[in-house]
Amino acid sequence: MVQQHVEKTIEALLQERRTFDPPEEFASRAHAKDSSIFEQASADPEGWWASQAQRLDWFDEWHTVLEWNPPHHQWFLGGRLNAAHNCLDRHVATTPDRVAYHWIGEPGETRAVTYEQLHEEVCRLANVLKGLGVGKGDRVAIYMPMIPELPAAMLACARIGAPHSVVFGGFSAESLRDRINDAACKVLITADGGYRRGQVVPLKANADEAVAQTPSIEKVLVVRRTGEDVPMVEGRDVDYQDAVSGASAECPAEPMDAEDMLYILYTSGTTGKPKGIVHTTGGYMTGVSSTHHLVFDVKPESDVYWCAADIGWVTGHSYIVYGPLANGCTSILYEGAPDWPDKDRWWSIVQDYGVTILYTAPTAIRTFMKWGTELPAKHDLSSLRLLGSVGEPINPEAWIWYQEFIGGGKTPVVDTWWQTETGAIMISALPGITTLKPGSATKPFPGVDADVVDEQGNSVGRGNGGYLVLKRPTPSMLRTIFGDDQRYVETYFGKFGPEVYFPGDGCKLDDDGYFWLLGRVDDVMNVAGHRISTYEVESALVDHQAVAEAAVVGRVDPKEGEAIVAFVTPKAAVTGDEALLQELREHVAKVIGKIARPHSIVFTDDLPKTRSGKIMRRLLRDVAEERDLGDVTTLLNAPILDEIRTKASSLRAREE
Ligand code: PRX
């Protein structure tokens, strides 16, 4: 009954309320209320970004805002600053007792960490790192659960000018190993374990397995989180708490050039190993501070802000750590799963802490929709005044549900488009100015020159679809791929030339010039808001001794965004049965991490290929989505497709 009512309500809302003007009260108090900033920024983008850089503390002023030698760009040349200083020291001087993080452990413990306390922890840890031999420019790997020591570790690295490379705690030992080796990290900071759905995630055990094959790692710093007994390697492993409590709390912030590397973060690409996206200090800090201020309209004195992502992804880097701390705001940091111990954990947190701004992903919203409106309805969510979404296109139903049942029908919802590579939000509403359309990320942020173009790179104009492009660099965008600049040039500037950044997304412009993102156009899948390449999963599958060949595609999935479907040809004399299916799923989880585990596996004697031997994933995608097949004229072995189709549809029927 309730469900029926909800569906009817959403249907009615979708029909009746297609656009939402900013609520008057919200708009009158918003940081951005005058739409002339858009014109100002497009008339003088460099001047605009320079004004945003003034939000930061600089040790030395820059002499040049932008040096653009396409496809390379550098910002705020001559300027010197430190990210940790901007996130901590300047707030310690004014609001030392303000809470930086309200931390909530999954089992239920809580800690409030003030700016002063975080500053002290960071200084001590920075001294520990120095003592372990870490200097400016050395890379530090971080593999940790969502505990306050994680942002502290990132900021300690930033304080001494050592770029960090955070690896999501859900990744496997092998993924960690490859990322450490790619960046030749000197030290690893990890924990004994973390909690997820009541279980302990064995981070130290994974770290030990990884570090057995990472020649560059000299020391491993281990935070005690779960208190379990984990083996410590003599001479290599160091107890975090012991070391930090014995270190000095005095550590001056290293003045860094604006273009010095702040961090590396790995993300999936269409081919080859994950790409180490390089972000620098001045431009990145400018981008995250400015967007966090204007898109989330944060008032540090009164807001309780919650970005419910994991710090292991870029969303957490930019909007749990660097943006909110640069702006001196109070955030929630929650360690665990949304359904532990109950499916209303998030709504208890919102009520208990009076959360005012919530930022999450469509996949989470769709999960909450499935769990029903009774759960949020049990809690007082009236403190919420703004909601945000990121990671994949948000369908209008989910947008409306989010606004209605979480936001009480009154809060603006900002759908924010960006990527690991862009570092900060590029397309989003400004909630005090923009009229919202459910399902659209609306318009580019001031200073962002986005367009939609056709195959030749010509603007398609309003009312048409094509490829999303960014026609000018912005300060927060990546500078290169670590150790592989050629790949940077080819991946992002190979399609439309050196001046036009191609993010890999399809997009439509409506008659009002609103941007409607349509998902990836390349071989990268978006599973529950996380990018996974078909190539990575295929490599993991063929790495198994029973597999001769594999092709992987994403199928549109109502909850996850995309579900991974694998087509696998077993080696001769191997039977593709249920046992092998389970073994392969586990194998992929071990090699990459659980997020990459295929949802379905179809065993087949052959794969559809072109005459030159290239697997035609496009046709497999048609099969996976049960669509009519596209152009098959270049196909070498046409009959195999019928066979695959029959198998795939009987598998799908069984799954449903
Ligand atoms: O396809 C777009 C999708 O996520 C990709 C970037 O993934 P990642 O680097 O992991 O960063 C995710 C969080 C910033 C994009 O190329 N994407 C992200 N946000 C949106 C989106 N697609 C549609 N709408 C969004 N708001």
Side-chain angles (χ1 to χ4, degrees):
M1 268 303 277
V2 176
Q3 197 54 35
Q4 250 177 10
H5 170 71
V6 171
E7 275 162 21
K8 268 203 191 131
T9 313
I10 290 179
E11 220 171 280
L13 287 168
L14 277 170
Q15 280 165 8
E16 288 162 21
R17 297 159 59 184
R18 303 212 75 98
T19 62
F20 298 82
D21 289 329
E24 247 165 57
E25 203 199 308
F26 189 104
S28 66
R29 294 187 204 164
H31 290 313
K33 37 176 167 289
D34 180 354
S35 59
S36 67
I37 61 169
F38 288 101
E39 285 96 66
Q40 271 172 31
S42 65
D44 178 13
E46 287 174 36
W48 157 258
W49 286 118
S51 75
Q52 296 308 291
Q54 302 287 3
R55 300 179 50 75
L56 305 171
D57 251 12
W58 294 80
F59 300 138
D60 297 306
E61 271 287 313
W62 59 86
H63 52 71
T64 306
V65 175
L66 168 65
E67 208 171 271
W68 188 15
N69 300 309
H72 294 100
H73 56 115
Q74 295 197 307
W75 291 80
F76 309 118
L77 286 118
R80 293 204 306 165
L81 76 169
N82 182 285
H85 168 90
N86 273 284
C87 288
L88 300 170
D89 303 45
R90 59 184 182 143
H91 309 309
V92 170
T94 52
T95 51
D97 299 328
R98 182 177 293 159
V99 172
Y101 292 114
H102 286 293
W103 176 73
I104 302 143
E106 195 189 70
E109 336 77 305
T110 59
R111 264 158 78 187
V113 184
T114 64
Y115 274 89
E116 187 162 45
Q117 289 165 337
L118 187 59
H119 177 259
E120 182 178 331
E121 176 93 3
V122 166
C123 289
R124 288 181 190 274
L125 179 55
N127 283 325
V128 170
L129 291 174
K130 281 188 192 168
L132 296 178
V134 178
K136 193 169 170 174
D138 288 335
R139 274 85 57 205
V140 174
I142 300 178
Y143 182 61
M144 282 170 78
M146 287 276 284
I147 53 179
E149 287 79 1
L150 169 52
M154 295 160 75
L155 292 166
C157 291
R159 196 163 191 89
I160 61 174
H164 55 71
S165 164
V166 179
V167 178
F168 169 55
F171 275 129
S172 66
E174 291 177 40
S175 297
L176 174 62
R177 176 199 65 197
D178 294 347
R179 285 159 175 77
I180 290 176
N181 285 336
D182 189 72
C185 298
K186 197 166 182 180
V187 164
L188 168 66
I189 310 178
T190 186
D192 47 7
Y195 290 102
R196 186 81 194 170
R197 255 180 217 113
Q199 306 273 314
V200 169
V201 183
L203 294 172
K204 178 64 163 61
N206 291 346
D208 285 339
E209 200 184 322
V211 172
Q213 294 175 37
T214 57
S216 60
I217 292 286
E218 294 172 10
K219 298 283 179 191
V220 179
L221 205 50
V222 185
V223 180
R224 304 265 171 204
R225 162 66 187 116
T226 61
E228 295 201 310
D229 200 14
V230 293
M232 297 287 278
V233 175
E234 186 76 41
R236 185 197 75 183
D237 296 356
V238 179
D239 183 288
Y240 175 105
Q241 277 93 343
D242 286 352
V244 164
S245 61
S248 157
E250 291 294 317
C251 179
E254 184 76 29
M256 303 296 288
D257 282 341
E259 282 295 321
D260 277 338
M261 199 194 316
L262 177 60
Y263 70 78
I264 306 170
L265 183 60
Y266 285 85
T267 188
S268 298
T270 47
T271 54
K273 56 184 189 189
K275 301 175 290 201
I277 302 302
V278 171
H279 284 295
T280 54
T281 311
Y284 175 80
M285 290 302 291
T286 299
V288 296
S289 167
S290 168
T291 50
H292 184 256
H293 177 72
L294 294 172
V295 173
F296 297 111
D297 187 48
V298 172
K299 314 279 169 23
E301 332 64 68
S302 52
D303 274 316
V304 179
Y305 160 89
W306 185 11
C307 167
D310 193 289
I311 292 177
W313 307 105
V314 76
T315 307
H317 280 58
S318 299
Y319 297 108
I320 299 178
V321 182
Y322 289 109
L325 294 178
N327 292 342
C329 119
T330 297
S331 292
I332 300 286
L333 186 64
Y334 170 54
E335 179 186 32
D339 56 351
W340 194 265
D342 295 307
K343 292 191 168 75
D344 60 348
R345 184 70 187 266
W346 278 27
W347 317 127
S348 315
I349 294 176
V350 170
Q351 174 171 334
D352 292 351
Y353 290 86
V355 172
T356 55
I357 301 166
L358 177 66
Y359 188 31
T360 186
T363 180
I365 301 165
R366 289 191 294 264
T367 302
F368 295 132
M369 285 172 78
K370 207 182 74 194
W371 289 345
T373 53
E374 296 84 354
L375 296 167
K378 276 200 318 204
H379 299 271
D380 178 6
L381 307 182
S382 59
S383 54
L384 288 168
R385 65 180 194 92
L386 179 66
L387 299 173
S389 171
V390 62
E392 52 177 312
I394 180 165
N395 46 312
E397 291 85 342
W399 194 107
I400 294 281
W401 188 93
Y402 192 31
Q403 194 206 40
E404 191 67 22
F405 297 103
I406 305 303
K410 64 176 185 358
T411 56
V413 175
V414 286
D415 172 15
T416 62
W417 179 90
W418 59 294
Q419 308 180 292
T420 307
E421 290 87 340
T422 67
I425 294 166
M426 295 284 120
I427 303 179
S428 167
L430 296 185
I433 298 178
T434 316
T435 295
L436 305 172
K437 297 189 186 187
S440 166
T442 74
K443 303 259 178 137
F445 188 78
V448 174
D449 188 1
D451 195 7
V452 179
V453 300
D454 63 16
E455 197 66 44
Q456 284 72 44
N458 303 314
S459 298
V460 296
R462 293 184 175 192
N464 297 304
Y467 302 105
L468 177 69
V469 292
L470 302 178
K471 292 183 157 170
R472 282 182 64 85
T474 65
S476 67
M477 282 176 67
L478 81 164
R479 298 297 188 266
T480 187
I481 291 173
F482 189 80
D484 197 350
D485 192 59
Q486 192 51 35
R487 195 169 171 203
Y488 163 82
V489 176
E490 283 161 13
T491 307
Y492 306 110
F493 301 93
K495 198 165 170 72
F496 299 115
E499 290 184 9
V500 180
Y501 173 84
F502 175 50
D505 282 27
C507 189
K508 192 179 142 108
L509 273 184
D510 73 11
D511 293 336
D512 301 322
Y514 276 54
F515 288 69
W516 295 76
L517 276 304
L518 302 173
R520 305 285 311 177
V521 296
D522 54 17
D523 288 328
V524 176
M525 300 171 289
N526 190 323
V527 180
H530 301 307
R531 264 160 71 180
I532 299 167
S533 75
T534 54
Y535 172 88
E536 276 172 287
V537 183
E538 286 167 4
S539 306
L541 286 166
V542 294
D543 170 67
H544 190 280
Q545 83 247 4
V547 175
E549 220 175 12
V552 166
V553 300
R555 177 182 78 206
V556 174
D557 181 85
K559 203 178 104 220
E560 304 273 312
E562 279 184 280
I564 302 178
V565 182
F567 298 85
V568 170
T569 309
K571 285 197 178 141
V574 176
T575 320
D577 55 13
E578 184 63 27
L580 181 60
L581 191 148
Q582 290 311 336
E583 204 178 308
L584 291 179
R585 292 186 77 229
E586 285 322 305
H587 181 71
V588 174
K590 184 173 176 301
V591 176
I592 308 174
K594 280 189 189 156
I595 43 165
R597 218 163 30 182
H599 183 273
S600 325
I601 298 180
V602 180
F603 291 108
T604 163
D605 296 336
D606 201 359
L607 292 166
K609 289 182 190 148
T610 60
R611 274 162 231 287
S612 58
K614 265 182 90 172
I615 296 172
M616 295 187 76
R617 285 198 197 75
R618 173 171 63 75
L619 295 177
L620 289 172
R621 215 170 289 135
D622 292 340
V623 169
E625 301 205 326
E626 301 184 325
R627 279 195 302 253
D628 288 343
L629 295 181
D631 183 7
V632 292
T633 45
T634 54
L635 188 63
L636 175 71
N637 47 351
I640 194 66
L641 264 181
D642 292 330
E643 202 181 296
I644 296 177
R645 227 138 100 102
T646 315
K647 282 188 185 157
S649 68
S650 74
L651 184 75
R652 184 103 189 240
R654 257 187 292 145
E655 283 171 1
E656 278 159 10

